[in-house]
Structure formats: structure tokens, C-alpha cells
Amino acid sequence: FFFWPSALSECPLLASRVWHASTGLICVCTHMKRSATASAISGTKRPKAAADPPSERAPVARDAGILSAAAVRALASDLDALPTHVEGCVRLLAEGHTVPFIARYRQPETGGMAPPLLRRIDAASRDAASLAARCDAVVAVLRKTDRLTAQLEAALRAAPTLAALEDVYAPHKSKPCSLAERARALGCEPAAQAMWCATIDDSGLSQALRAAAAGSGARSSEGGTEAALREGTQKVLAEMTARSPAVREAARGALRRCALVKCTAVAGKRSISGSGGAGAASSKKASTATAAAAASGGENFRDYADFERPLSAVSSHAWLAMHRGVELKLLRLSVAPRDEASVAAAVARACPPLRSYSARPGGGHRLCLALAEGAAAEAWGRLLKPSLAREVQRRALEAARCEAIECFAANLSPLLLAPPLRGTAVLGVDPGFAHGHKLAVVSAGTASVTAHATVKPPLPPRGSGSSGGGAGGSRVHDGAAWGEAVRVIAELCDSHGVGAVAVGDGQNSREAQRLVAAAIAATRRGGGRLRYAVVRENGASIYSASDLAAAELGEVPLQHRAAVSIARRLADPLSEFVKIEPAALGVGMYQRDLPAKELGARLDAAVEDAVAAVGVEVNGASPSLLQRVAGLNRKTASALRAHIDTAGELSSRESLRQVPGIGPKTYVNIAGFLRITASDGAPLAEPLDATRVHPEAYAEARALLAAAGIGSGALGQLARRGGGFAEGDCARLRALAAAPAPGGGAASPGGGRAALVELLCDPLLCGDPREQLAPPPQLVASAPRSLADVRAGDVFEHAVVKNAAPFGLFVDVGVGSDGLLHASELKKRGSGRPVPTVGASICVTAKAVDINRGRLSLALHPVWCL
């Protein structure tokens, strides 16, 4: 590849430059040859360094046998379950059953595992399939490049995680034009391999280096060639050390133990003087917060302008906040060891040649020992330190994102399970400014729109802070415009029999609440039992502009559709919230910084579990609600709704089989979650169709009920009123659980009469269980207070949790600004008190008020802590 004129010997500097340029050319040509060979085998053109397959996980199909026996045992230990139950879950998932179906109707096979545990098993099975696919890709590449051995393949197949697989694969990757590759091109690899195995001493190393010099066409006595080859051998040895799985694991563990996270403001940016940047997404324009943060010069990142903490002390929300600041180029983030010497010592202890030569007595290994020490130091300082620092930072950020996603899902469930407000018409108010407040009335039962209007009261004075998140301010309620707005709202309430008003919590919500309170007092009932509630507005504007809203509310003007959605959210939260993308509901933190795919999948699972817990009355459900039933999709849900609209209401669950697109497998998955109720009050042909009992267990259920002395009449009454059987009936049913099957009948396909008996004894056996799962919505009639009216020590008896985060709860106390109940305050609750969830009503006291920053600190009231 190159020539060596004798003239170059006269100029050592020029000779050195020609030498390095030529070895670099050899390295490039060698890599091009490898890439060309791999491309010729695969038949495709590959980019630079493409001999290494991509590490992204491709979607794979479920495989019931993908989890090895060791993986099953490890997962069972992690979940505190039996391996047979884990295997049963994997098998049922592979057969196409949904998680809600398995959790409710296959408890004997899974040990009664709850949906979250079943989803973890499902995720582990998918991860194992992704790991197997990645392993197959790595093995294929190594086989094509003649680098695969039986021992290496066994190590790759035995890797328990993707990170472990990459560590095993790392020493066999090709990295073009690295210092080690250049040294290999000079012939330094044989000496480095011999040192790695500790099969060479100083004299042998000198001979190997002279042989390498002769093989490269250079003279060992000219230009310091032997010294350069010795340095090249150290480069190769350093790369081998850095790619060793044992060394990487030792360095990784040592770095985690002493890692220090540092975050500083980027020089040249304006001073950071705002809040910490944690909180929920905005209700209407989710992308504006990030743009505003960038435009303000990072005012929301003051707490991280000079941030330094150990890795173990950095919370998840701090990672997300710092990452957002880095993305906006406002912050600079780094991870470095607090004690670098301890990490370097851990690398040295794990380095095989250094460990071997250090243990040998005598003076014939000084050169080898020096090279091994230099290689270990170089492996840490030049190779491992930057890559592992990035890895630690990446994994910490991934863990923070996972925690944020789980927090989002945990907050979403109670929001969906909020009880409906039945039997009354509801007036929805969508607050606004210049364009006024939009009003819409929905009827009781069907929630159809009966009226809509717009009122334009006087605008609040500038700087009064009357927006949804402001501090609030005084307002003189007078003038013709104010009186006309009060009159219109009062007339709507009187003429349509409105029993409750839903006010959105968006911009100008404070003024809208004052207006509604005045209108309630002006009704013919003088207020009476008419009350209003503040309803979460997130996603309402998105829904109003969607195709779904156009199809459902084609006769309603676009500007009033958000008011319809707000009213329906109070009337039936689940049926309305399922129409909105879960990520738009604003019950999490840093949702714009979370991976959309993972967030969407987890929130869809939370919605699926909530719908399964409540069940769906199939004849009155919308396609949006039906498609959230586990086992149905948009196509089959639309087909089911169209079948009901054309052929009439379904009279039994068996009628589901007649719907196009619902086959035997789909029917098994959905039948137990779709209720049949008689709209005209007539008795059902099959009362069990109104219960949670699956049709596959009807025969055994009838036999058990008959043996317990519960006739069809009692079951029919229960189907009409909802709830469960009396305690005496449940006691007789439980006594039959261990007895032989009544009448010699066959057991249910679920395999366990005890599980069927517990289902029959469930107090939520029939009807909608939401009234028993959560308290009713908080309704008030008085005008709201402002933050300026709050003093330390004020008590709020019916505060509502609006959002939850790892560091505390955001609580609505009715003053326009959500107060923060810090996590340290939650430790003061009584032992019998659960952690409050979104929508829970608690009693709190004002701890500190900051009007300038619009902040309110709260503490748990001693009465609530009892």
C-alpha cells in the first residue's frame, strides 16, 4: 500500500507523518473490504461501519416459549409468584387472550395476578423476543465475518439482558480508523493477544515487537519504530480492556457508586429566576410551554442553574427538568466520578493482564506490567469514562421517564373512574375572554345537546390575575353586560331543569365561576339545590376540532363543542374522557419529554383497565367507548354500534356473535365486559347478562345459585338495581365453593369454582360500580376565593387532588392556584389512610402563601390524619 524511500530516513519527522498516514490508509482499506464483503453477502448497500447490526428493538410477534426457564424463575421471584403461574400467563397471552380477561376469568391459572403484574409479564415476554432477535442478528453478522466461535455463540445466547449482550459483543465489533485498528495494521495485535493471555514475558514481548517491525517493512533502529510499536500494543490492549464485559461491569458499578451529577446554566443566557419547571401540561396548547421557556431565557430552570448532587440523590423530576433545559440549550449537564481514582482502581483490578502480571514474582515482567498498567489507565480515561458517563446519564433519564409514565398512568385511572352525575341535566361553561363564555346544556340520560349560547360579561381588569392559574383579584360585578350574562345563564338553568353546572378550569375560569355563582342565586329556585363544579378542561379544544366531534355534534357550532364536552365530563367522565387522547388530559408531568410510543401504550393500558373495571352498557355506549374494551378495535366497535343502530338493541350477550367482525376469540375476550340491561324496565331473558359472570360459566353459576337458594327472581331484581347479593346469600355461596359441583355439572372453562363463587359474591357484581369506587363530585354554590384572600392556617375541608407527582400532590382548594402538598406532609397521615389519588377529597390547611409567584404550600389537617 505504500513505499518507503531511503530519503525519508534523513527526516524522522516526515517519516513519522508518512508512517501514520499510510497506516491510516491500510485501516480504511481493510474496513472497506470488510463492509464490501458484508454487503455482498446480504445483497444490500450498507452505510459506514454497518457490519454491526442496529441495536433498536424491532417489533416481534409473541412467542409462548420465548421466556427461558431461568427467565421464568427470575420473573416469578421478582413478582413474588409461582413459576407455573408465570408460564400460564405467558401461554394465555400467546393464545390471544387480553389482560383484563385473564385477570378476571383465568385466576386459577395465574394465581390471581392483577393486571399490572400481567402486563409486566407481557412486557418481559416481548423484551425476551427482542433480545432473541438482536442476538440472532449479532450471530449472523459474526458468522458472515468469520468471527463466530462456539464459545462466543454460547455466551451471546446466555446473555440475560440487551446490555449484557452488547457487552459480550463489544470486543468483536469493528471500529474503523481507531488508534487500536491502526496499531493492528502495524502488526501489534499478536503481542497484545499474548499479553492479554499473560503467555509472554519481557523478552518475548521484545521479540514480538521486532517481528512486527520487520513485517511492516520498517527498521527497528530507525525513527523509534520499536517504541511506536510498543505504544501501539498498549492501544490494542487498552481497547481489549475497555471492551471486556468484566471490566465494563466493574467500571460501571464503581462509577454508579460515586457518580456526581453537575448541571450549570449556559453562559450568555439571561438570569434564571423562575420556578423549578415541574408540573402538568397546559390544557389547550401543550407546545407553548416549551417555546415560552426558551423565549424567556430559561426562567423556569433557576433551581438547576448551579446544581450538583450524587447520582443516587437526583430525583426523577429533576432529571426530566434538566433534560428539558439541555434540549432548550439553557443548561449544560454532565456526569463524572466524585472519586476518579477509585474507579480507575476498579478497572485495574478487573483488567486480566494487569492482574496476572501483578501476581508474578521476579523482574522478567516489568515491561509487560508497565504496558498493562498503561493500558488499564488508558482504557478508563480515554475509552470507558466518556462512554460510561453517557450510559449512566442515559439510563438515569430512561428510569426517570419510566417513573413519569407510571405516575401519568396512576393519575389517569382515578380520573376515569370518577362517578357520574346521573338523573339531571348539566350546563357546561367553557370560559373565555374577548369572545365570551360558551354555554351548552346536555340532557339527563342521553347527554344530548338541548341548548347552547354565548355570554359576554365585562372583561376582568388588566393584571387582575383572573386566568385559570392566576392569583385572582377583586372584580366589581355591575353593568348591563354582567346582568345580561347572569340572566341568560339563569334562564337556561330554569327552562331546561339544569341540576348542576360544569365550569372548565382553563383561562378566565375564576370570572366564569363568579358569574355562575351569581346566576345560581338569580334562578327561580333562588339557588335551591343547584350547584356548580370545576371540571378539568384539558383536551376539550382538541376534541371540539376533531372529526369525532364533527360526527357527534354536527348541529352544534364549533365554538360551543368544548362546552358540550365539559358538561358531559361531569355527567359521565369515563364516556367522555375516552374520546380524548390520554396524553392530552394533563394528569402527568413533563409529558412532552416522554417517548410518545411508550407513553401512549401505557396510558392505553390504563384506559383499558379502567373500562374493564367499570364495564360497558353495550346498547347505549358510543363507538369511542366500545373501542376501549379489551378485544375490540375501532373497526369492530363501529360495526357493533352500526349493528345496534340498524337491527335494534341487543337482547343478550349471545347476540354479539351476530355482529360482523366478532369471531369466537373476540367474543370470549369481550363478552364479560359488555352488560345487557333492559331500557324499558322489562325483565331480561338472561339476568346473568347484566352481571360480571362470563357466558362460559353460566351453567355452573346457575347451579351454584340454585344450590344456595337464590332464585331467578332475586337475580333479576339484582340485575335491575345493581350491586351484589346480601351477606347471607354470599355466605351460602362460599360454603359451596369446596363442595362437589352441584348436580354433577362440569366445571367452568376458567378452572376454579372458588373464583366463580368470589365473583358471584362481589358487591360490584351488577351495574356501574363507580359510585362505590369513588366519592361523588364536589359541587358548590358560593363564589370562589382568590389567593390574596388566603392566610396561613386557613382550613380547606373539601380540597380536591388535581395531580400527583413523586414529590407531592397538587391540590385545588378553590382559590385559582393549585397548592402543593409536599411528599413529606403525606408521611403524617394515619396508618389506615391510603395515599390520596387524583380526584380524592382531603382536608388541608394553608402553610405558606406566595402571592408574587402564585404559590400556595399546604399541610394535611390534623383531623384528616386521624
Side-chain angles (χ1 to χ4, degrees):
F1 287 91
F2 60 94
F3 61 94
W4 190 266
S6 58
L8 292 179
S9 301
E10 305 297 331
C11 182
L13 178 61
L14 180 60
S16 175
R17 292 181 176 178
V18 171
W19 180 267
H20 286 289
S22 60
T23 52
L25 178 61
I26 294 174
C27 177
V28 171
C29 294
T30 303
H31 173 68
M32 292 175 62
K33 181 179 179 181
R34 291 177 180 173
S35 299
T37 303
S39 300
I41 294 175
S42 60
T44 58
K45 293 184 178 180
R46 306 191 67 177
K48 191 174 183 179
D52 301 329
S55 59
E56 290 79 10
R57 300 183 181 183
V60 294
R62 285 181 180 164
D63 185 352
I66 197 66
L67 286 178
S68 64
V72 168
R73 289 193 299 269
L75 189 57
S77 176
D78 186 32
L79 300 179
D80 195 18
L82 295 177
T84 54
H85 293 156
V86 175
E87 292 173 350
C89 176
V90 173
R91 178 181 55 80
L92 290 169
L93 289 169
E95 291 174 357
H97 293 297
T98 63
V99 167
F101 174 84
I102 297 172
R104 182 180 293 179
Y105 300 115
R106 294 296 183 264
Q107 293 186 15
E109 299 179 55
T110 64
M113 282 190 280
L117 298 184
L118 297 176
R119 296 190 188 281
R120 287 180 61 183
I121 295 175
D122 189 19
S125 181
R126 294 178 183 273
D127 288 345
S130 300
L131 176 63
R134 170 65 175 161
C135 184
D136 291 340
V138 169
V139 168
V141 168
L142 292 176
R143 182 176 289 114
K144 291 176 183 178
T145 55
D146 296 329
R147 287 177 285 172
L148 184 66
T149 63
Q151 184 179 4
L152 176 58
E153 183 174 4
L156 291 170
R157 300 291 183 189
T161 63
L162 189 61
L165 175 68
E166 296 298 334
D167 283 347
V168 175
Y169 178 45
H172 308 279
K173 290 181 178 179
S174 60
K175 189 174 182 181
C177 297
S178 65
L179 295 179
E181 284 294 331
R182 293 182 179 181
R184 288 187 177 95
L186 298 177
C188 297
E189 187 165 22
Q193 289 286 356
M195 283 193 62
W196 182 260
C197 300
T199 58
I200 195 173
D201 56 8
D202 288 354
S203 60
L205 177 61
S206 299
Q207 293 177 5
L209 294 179
R210 285 194 293 270
S216 63
R219 301 175 186 177
S220 60
S221 60
E222 293 180 352
T225 304
E226 186 172 345
L229 291 175
R230 189 181 302 115
E231 181 182 356
T233 302
Q234 180 175 311
K235 302 293 184 187
V236 176
L237 200 59
E239 185 179 89
M240 296 172 67
T241 302
R243 290 184 172 186
S244 168
V247 174
R248 291 185 65 85
E249 187 58 34
R252 187 182 290 120
L255 178 60
R256 287 175 179 170
R257 288 190 294 270
C258 67
L260 195 65
V261 179
K262 296 182 180 181
C263 186
T264 58
V266 174
K269 300 294 183 181
R270 284 187 288 173
S271 61
I272 297 177
S273 59
S275 62
S282 62
S283 60
K284 291 188 176 181
K285 297 183 179 179
S287 62
T288 56
T290 301
S296 63
E299 295 180 355
N300 291 333
F301 302 96
R302 183 187 65 179
D303 294 342
Y304 306 102
D306 188 14
F307 182 91
E308 181 175 321
R309 287 184 187 176
L311 176 66
S312 58
V314 181
S315 60
S316 60
H317 65 273
W319 274 112
L320 295 172
M322 291 186 292
H323 176 69
R324 180 181 291 183
V326 171
E327 290 293 315
L328 295 174
K329 302 186 185 307
L330 302 174
L331 299 176
R332 183 178 291 108
L333 180 64
S334 64
V335 175
R338 183 174 58 253
D339 183 8
E340 189 164 345
S342 64
V343 185
V347 173
R349 287 192 299 270
C351 179
L354 180 56
R355 189 170 60 245
S356 299
Y357 285 116
S358 298
R360 293 184 179 182
H365 308 89
R366 293 178 180 177
L367 178 59
C368 293
L369 180 60
L371 279 181
E373 290 175 345
E378 185 176 355
W380 161 245
R382 183 172 64 86
L383 301 174
L384 287 175
K385 181 179 177 180
S387 65
L388 290 183
R390 291 191 299 268
E391 177 185 303
V392 167
Q393 182 175 334
R394 183 180 67 254
R395 291 189 177 183
L397 182 60
E398 289 175 354
R401 286 170 172 167
C402 290
E403 184 175 347
I405 289 174
E406 290 301 320
C407 179
F408 209 128
N411 293 341
L412 179 61
S413 295
L415 179 67
L416 298 175
L417 295 176
L421 190 65
R422 303 186 188 278
T424 183
V426 178
L427 169 65
V429 180
D430 180 19
F433 284 100
H435 298 288
H437 305 315
K438 313 302 186 301
L439 313 175
V441 180
V442 298
S443 63
T446 61
S448 59
V449 182
T450 58
H452 53 79
T454 301
V455 294
K456 295 184 177 181
L459 291 175
R462 184 179 297 275
S464 65
S466 58
S467 63
S474 61
R475 170 71 184 272
V476 180
H477 298 155
D478 58 359
W482 176 266
E484 177 63 16
V486 170
R487 184 190 64 79
V488 170
I489 296 177
E491 286 187 358
L492 282 175
C493 293
D494 289 332
S495 59
H496 295 277
V498 172
V501 181
V503 182
D505 63 352
Q507 295 294 316
N508 207 23
S509 176
R510 311 292 298 157
E511 293 299 314
Q513 293 174 47
R514 294 187 178 96
L515 181 65
V516 168
I520 289 176
T523 58
R524 288 196 296 267
R525 292 169 284 179
R529 300 187 63 180
L530 180 61
R531 297 290 186 269
Y532 77 88
V534 179
V535 177
R536 188 181 297 271
E537 188 182 318
N538 299 72
S541 59
I542 299 175
Y543 164 76
S544 64
S546 66
D547 295 337
L548 177 60
E552 292 182 342
L553 307 172
E555 303 299 324
V556 179
L558 176 63
Q559 63 269 24
H560 291 99
R561 293 174 185 172
V564 176
S565 179
I566 291 172
R568 288 177 171 176
R569 293 179 184 195
L570 182 61
D572 190 348
L574 179 62
S575 297
E576 193 64 23
F577 280 133
V578 294
K579 301 175 183 177
I580 314 296
E581 284 296 324
L585 294 178
V587 290
M589 62 176 187
Y590 296 103
Q591 69 182 61
R592 296 179 301 280
D593 302 308
L594 304 179
K597 183 178 179 181
E598 287 80 354
L599 177 63
R602 183 63 186 89
L603 296 185
D604 286 343
V607 175
E608 186 179 88
D609 290 341
V611 172
V614 174
V616 176
E617 202 291 302
V618 63
N619 287 319
S622 66
S624 300
L625 181 57
L626 288 173
Q627 75 181 36
R628 291 294 188 172
V629 176
L632 292 177
N633 53 34
R634 180 172 300 183
K635 182 178 179 180
T636 52
S638 299
L640 176 55
R641 184 70 256 173
H643 179 82
I644 295 173
D645 293 340
T646 56
E649 293 186 350
L650 302 181
S651 59
S652 67
R653 283 172 169 167
E654 191 65 25
S655 304
L656 291 168
R657 298 181 183 272
Q658 303 173 7
V659 178
I662 297 182
K665 181 67 69 176
T666 301
Y667 174 79
V668 169
N669 281 324
I670 69 174
F673 304 99
L674 299 179
R675 294 191 302 270
I676 305 293
T677 57
S679 57
D680 55 358
L684 290 172
E686 177 52 78
L688 288 173
D689 284 342
T691 69
R692 296 187 170 203
V693 179
H694 198 278
E696 66 184 8
Y698 277 4
E700 187 175 1
R702 293 192 197 97
L704 285 169
L705 293 174
I710 303 173
S712 59
L715 182 59
Q717 293 178 3
L718 181 64
R720 286 191 294 272
R721 76 169 187 269
F725 290 113
E727 292 184 4
D729 295 334
C730 293
R732 292 193 298 273
L733 283 170
R734 289 192 174 96
L736 297 171
S748 63
R753 189 188 310 162
L756 178 58
V757 167
E758 288 304 316
L759 188 60
L760 289 172
C761 296
D762 190 345
L764 308 178
L765 178 62
C766 297
D768 191 335
R770 284 177 288 178
E771 288 87 350
Q772 302 181 49
L773 294 175
Q778 296 291 329
L779 301 176
V780 297
S782 59
R785 300 168 62 186
S786 67
L787 188 61
D789 300 328
V790 180
R791 298 293 182 269
D794 287 357
V795 179
F796 303 93
E797 296 182 356
H798 300 291
V800 179
V801 178
K802 294 295 293 295
N803 206 350
F807 52 84
L809 304 177
F810 293 96
V811 183
D812 181 8
V813 297
V815 298
S817 294
D818 291 344
L820 176 62
L821 183 64
H822 196 267
S824 59
E825 292 290 335
L826 296 175
K827 299 178 182 178
K828 301 177 183 179
R829 70 186 189 279
S831 58
R833 292 276 191 175
V835 177
T837 58
V838 172
S841 178
I842 58 177
C843 183
V844 296
T845 60
K847 188 176 180 181
V849 183
D850 187 345
I851 297 178
N852 294 329
R853 301 177 70 181
R855 289 187 172 186
L856 174 63
S857 297
L858 301 173
L860 282 176
H861 193 275
V863 174
W864 196 87
C865 295
L866 296 178

